[in-house]
Amino acid sequence: METKFIEVEAATIRFAGDSGDGMQLTGVQFSDTSAGIGNEVNTFPDYPSEIRAPEGTLYGVSAYQIHIGSRKTHTPGDEIDVLVAMNASSLKVNLKKVKKGGVLILNKAGFKDKNLKLAHYETNPIEDGSLKGYQVFAYDINEQVRRVLENHDLHVKAVDRTKNIFTLGLTYWLFNRPLEPTENWIKKKFGKDPSIMEANIAVLRAGYNFGAMGQDMIVRYHIKPAKMQPGIYRNITGNNAVALGLVAAAKKANLPLFLGSYPITPATEILHHISGYKKFGVKHMQMEDEIGGICSAIGASYGGSLAATSTSGPGLSLKVEAIGLAVMLELPLVIVDVQRAGPSTGLPTKPEQSDLLMAMWGRHGEAPVAVIAAKSSTDCFDMTIEAARLALKYMTPVILLTDGYLAQGSEAWRVPSMDELPDIAVEFATDPATFSPYKRDPQTLSRPWAVPGIPGLEHRIGGLEKEDITGLVSHDPMNHQKMCELRAAKIARIADDIPLASVDGDASGELLVITWGSTFGAMSNALYAVRSKGLNVSHCHLNYINPLPKNLGSIINNFDKILLPEMNLGQMQILLQSLFMKPIIGLHKIQGNTFTAQEIQHKIEELLTKKEGAL
């Protein structure tokens, strides 16, 4: 039958299989190729919490989801249009997310009796009619790659490992993607082993040709390039964006960069990426623990570097005492917290907005720090630079909150020029005649930054309270209160240096939705959906959390109802209600998954259509 093209505005594709099936690699290649031909791209890798869960089990399923479109895509998609499932468990876990009528590409080799038992299937879903209502394309992909590579001198296990590349070629055909970008990647990755390189290229082409020559897949999908601002684009994850943001901020401030960290999922990749920028004079150190990571960064800050540390979940708990030390020392420090599901070890590969109140108040004593949050993978770059700017200007630790969804998801990012980035001016104390360790700038209340080794600028450091102006150790009660109040006032003054909150939609009305962090993406899509139905709702997103924008209270008072979706049990809800004394409706999700646009959309529609006094 003749193949026909259907033009669609967007599509969501999910590759799923065992941890060893290469689904992450397949998804990255599909997303990078799609970005390269001009589509908007948003991705999310979904890892099992165990490093190598038992093969074929439900909790061992690894997946990678890509949302591609001809207009801005804010999330990796709600419902799945095409699911590639390499075994029975990956179908079982993900089928509920596939829209009715969606495409299922199934590897028959992963649906044998053992696979079905591990997935808790009593009968084979490929054969029992339970997949009626979906477009099912089931092939023995293992057998296909063995045929393609029968004349290649490879072990059967090495042959079977190419099955993900076969499915990649098949989905490239289905969505009219070019093979050349992935072929070039294969040549670069396996160039030192020609047999592996040639095998992967052969299997990639075979998957594409399998779709082209098959008789059952008669529909292909075309997605036009998106209209984007002119420039150079690349796909970038949030963790990579943080690393680049630190490098760019150090260059703008004309300071050496130091990152002291300890590996912890899902923040580890920041350390990996930073290690690749040594040619820019970047220094990094993988410490023996979280405490060593932040303390090394404090030392680098004392020495005159732009210093940063990265962590996640329980790692932030371990850094708490050292954060208090940095507050007492009043030194600039960027602390990147890639939030994950807790408490304790929790779900270490899953996202959650779990650390907000800890970032705000999780220290003993009065130890205020600035807290900001990124809203997307690409925004991680901008907010990292902002964290550095605030830390350097106000001589304070700044906590930047991202989460596992932003950190490991990716988006198409327009690479800015250095001239487009904000100026970050740094002045060190140099004159012994006018130097006092805690003599404050009248505008920012920040103390001077004196690099060790300059004669006449010697001063005390350490965790004991300092005397105002002189910086000598002081146990005077009134001095302690004064210094606590000064440190709090310094953070409060940041409100004069950040943008006012803005409202997307009417400035007053029945319903305002407030978001912070990664819920921005789902809310943006939900807003588009409800407004297309003629419903009137306004939206305010918060990048700045401590301090909050100065006009937020007046914005909140202009609306009858406030809805606040969060991936926790209401931490921002608690914060805003305590500050502005107005009831806020919380929408809470702590399932290790981000909000879908539909979940927020349904809550908005419920609130706008609910009659006054109804239950």
Side-chain angles (χ1 to χ4, degrees):
M1 297 178 67
E2 183 179 352
T3 302
K4 64 178 181 178
F5 271 106
I6 296 179
E7 187 168 303
V8 295
E9 185 178 61
T12 299
I13 305 97
R14 189 173 179 92
F15 297 91
D18 271 323
S19 293
D21 284 340
M23 296 295 96
Q24 309 300 325
L25 183 151
T26 307
V28 168
Q29 284 301 305
F30 190 94
S31 61
D32 285 352
T33 297
S34 298
I37 64 174
N39 290 138
E40 281 280 4
V41 176
N42 195 296
T43 74
F44 181 63
D46 191 359
Y47 301 96
S49 293
E50 294 190 24
I51 293 174
R52 194 64 185 267
E55 186 176 345
T57 58
L58 293 169
Y59 56 90
V61 172
S62 177
Y64 196 100
Q65 186 161 310
I66 310 107
H67 189 195
I68 55 176
S70 56
R71 65 177 180 86
K72 181 63 180 176
T73 59
H74 296 283
T75 70
D78 289 357
E79 292 184 305
I80 299 167
D81 295 292
V82 177
L83 172 66
V84 178
M86 303 304 286
N87 59 21
S89 287
S90 54
L91 174 66
K92 186 74 168 287
V93 168
N94 292 288
L95 184 61
K96 60 182 176 292
K97 303 172 187 175
V98 182
K99 64 177 58 174
K100 287 299 181 181
V103 174
L104 303 177
I105 299 175
L106 310 178
N107 179 17
K108 282 184 176 180
F111 285 77
K112 296 177 181 177
D113 289 344
K114 178 183 177 181
N115 306 108
L116 296 172
K117 184 177 180 180
L118 288 169
H120 304 299
Y121 276 119
E122 294 183 2
T123 58
N124 192 333
I126 296 175
E127 301 169 351
D128 64 10
S130 61
L131 301 179
K132 185 179 180 181
Y134 300 97
Q135 301 178 60
V136 181
F137 304 100
Y139 314 111
D140 190 328
I141 294 174
N142 291 50
E143 180 61 29
Q144 292 297 325
V145 299
R146 289 172 186 174
R147 289 179 184 176
V148 173
L149 301 179
E150 60 184 352
N151 295 323
H152 290 247
D153 188 20
L154 293 175
H155 190 275
V156 64
K157 287 187 177 179
V159 171
D160 285 347
R161 277 199 292 268
T162 67
K163 60 182 180 289
N164 65 319
I165 301 298
F166 183 92
T167 61
L168 179 60
L170 181 56
T171 50
Y172 276 168
W173 176 84
L174 188 63
F175 285 93
N176 196 28
R177 315 276 103 171
L179 299 181
E180 288 78 14
T182 297
E183 289 183 353
N184 292 335
W185 174 84
I186 290 171
K187 291 173 183 177
K188 183 177 180 180
K189 183 174 179 63
F190 301 112
K192 295 181 180 179
D193 192 338
S195 62
I196 298 295
M197 178 187 73
E198 293 167 3
N200 277 278
I201 290 175
V203 168
L204 178 71
R205 293 174 179 174
Y208 190 95
N209 293 332
F210 185 83
M213 296 185 296
Q215 298 298 310
D216 48 357
M217 292 182 112
I218 60 171
V219 174
R220 301 175 72 188
Y221 302 95
H222 178 67
I223 299 174
K224 290 181 179 179
K227 294 180 181 179
M228 297 181 178
Q229 182 182 351
I232 299 172
Y233 284 82
R234 57 165 289 188
N235 232 23
I236 195 169
T237 65
N239 277 341
N240 198 351
V242 166
L244 279 171
L246 288 172
V247 175
K251 289 296 177 184
K252 293 294 290 189
N254 196 27
L255 294 175
L257 173 64
F258 177 83
L259 178 74
S261 287
Y262 178 76
I264 183 170
T265 303
T268 303
E269 291 166 343
I270 297 173
L271 188 59
H272 292 172
H273 289 302
I274 280 288
S275 69
Y277 300 130
K278 293 178 182 177
K279 63 182 179 182
F280 298 109
V282 174
K283 293 182 175 62
H284 71 283
M285 186 174 292
Q286 179 178 319
M287 300 301 291
E288 73 279 4
D289 57 29
E290 294 283 0
I291 299 170
I294 188 170
C295 287
S296 67
I298 292 172
S301 178
Y302 179 60
S305 293
L306 172 58
T309 188
S310 55
T311 192
S312 180
L316 186 63
S317 305
L318 291 168
K319 293 182 188 294
V320 161
E321 185 177 0
I323 295 174
L325 173 62
V327 170
M328 177 64 75
L329 298 178
E330 297 191 51
L331 285 171
L333 179 66
V334 175
I335 303 160
V336 183
D337 177 27
V338 184
Q339 299 168 98
R340 72 188 205 187
S344 188
T345 310
L347 304 176
T349 63
K350 308 300 182 183
E352 197 168 282
Q353 293 177 308
S354 52
D355 298 341
L356 174 61
L357 294 184
M358 182 171 210
M360 285 289 298
W361 294 309
R363 293 165 294 283
H364 69 279
E366 296 295 331
V369 301
V371 182
I372 63 177
K375 65 182 179 182
S376 66
S377 296
T378 55
D379 192 47
C380 288
F381 176 82
D382 297 317
M383 295 310 291
T384 299
I385 292 176
E386 179 68 346
R389 184 187 74 85
L390 294 175
L392 293 168
K393 184 172 181 178
Y394 290 87
M395 293 290 286
T396 182
V398 176
I399 296 178
L400 169 61
L401 297 175
T402 75
D403 61 43
Y405 164 59
L406 299 182
Q408 297 180 325
S410 68
E411 292 181 295
W413 176 57
R414 190 183 72 84
V415 181
S417 67
M418 290 297 287
D419 291 340
E420 295 177 70
L421 304 181
D423 291 328
I424 304 177
V426 174
E427 292 185 12
F428 290 105
T430 56
D431 184 4
T434 59
F435 174 71
S436 295
Y438 285 85
K439 180 182 179 181
R440 298 182 183 276
D441 180 280
Q443 180 182 358
T444 64
L445 295 182
S446 62
R447 78 176 188 92
W449 196 2
V451 176
I454 300 177
L457 301 188
E458 298 88 351
H459 60 283
R460 288 179 177 272
I461 61 169
L464 292 173
E465 183 62 274
K466 306 298 184 296
E467 185 178 66
D468 186 29
I469 310 295
T470 69
L472 298 174
V473 172
S474 171
H475 299 285
D476 177 63
M478 298 308 294
N479 177 78
H480 175 57
Q481 175 149 345
K482 181 178 182 179
M483 292 297 278
C484 287
E485 290 173 345
L486 282 169
R487 289 189 288 262
K490 179 174 68 170
I491 299 302
R493 288 201 180 185
I494 293 175
D496 297 325
D497 201 11
I498 61 176
L500 294 175
S502 60
V503 176
D504 181 354
D506 292 343
S508 61
E510 183 178 358
L511 178 63
L512 172 71
V513 183
I514 296 176
T515 56
W516 70 276
S518 63
T519 51
F520 172 83
M523 178 56 200
S524 296
N525 288 353
L527 199 63
Y528 179 84
V530 296
R531 286 177 175 171
S532 67
K533 293 184 175 183
L535 296 176
N536 191 10
V537 60
S538 298
H539 176 217
C540 177
H541 183 81
L542 301 176
N543 279 111
Y544 298 88
I545 297 172
N546 192 37
L548 290 161
K550 295 169 70 174
N551 63 331
L552 182 60
S554 61
I555 289 175
I556 287 176
N557 287 329
N558 284 334
F559 290 87
D560 299 332
K561 300 174 185 175
I562 310 294
L563 172 66
L564 207 166
E566 294 184 84
M567 290 190 294
N568 54 46
L569 291 181
Q571 295 188 24
M572 180 64 82
Q573 180 185 6
I574 291 171
L575 177 61
L576 296 186
Q577 285 183 154
S578 67
L579 287 172
F580 302 117
M581 305 302 290
K582 181 163 184 172
I584 291 175
I585 302 162
L587 179 60
H588 309 141
K589 183 175 184 178
I590 47 170
Q591 301 169 19
N593 295 311
T594 58
F595 278 102
T596 66
Q598 290 181 346
E599 289 169 334
I600 299 177
Q601 176 188 344
H602 292 160
K603 187 63 178 181
I604 291 172
E605 291 173 350
E606 173 192 321
L607 292 173
L608 289 178
T609 57
K610 187 176 181 180
K611 299 296 184 183
E612 204 59 45
L615 294 177

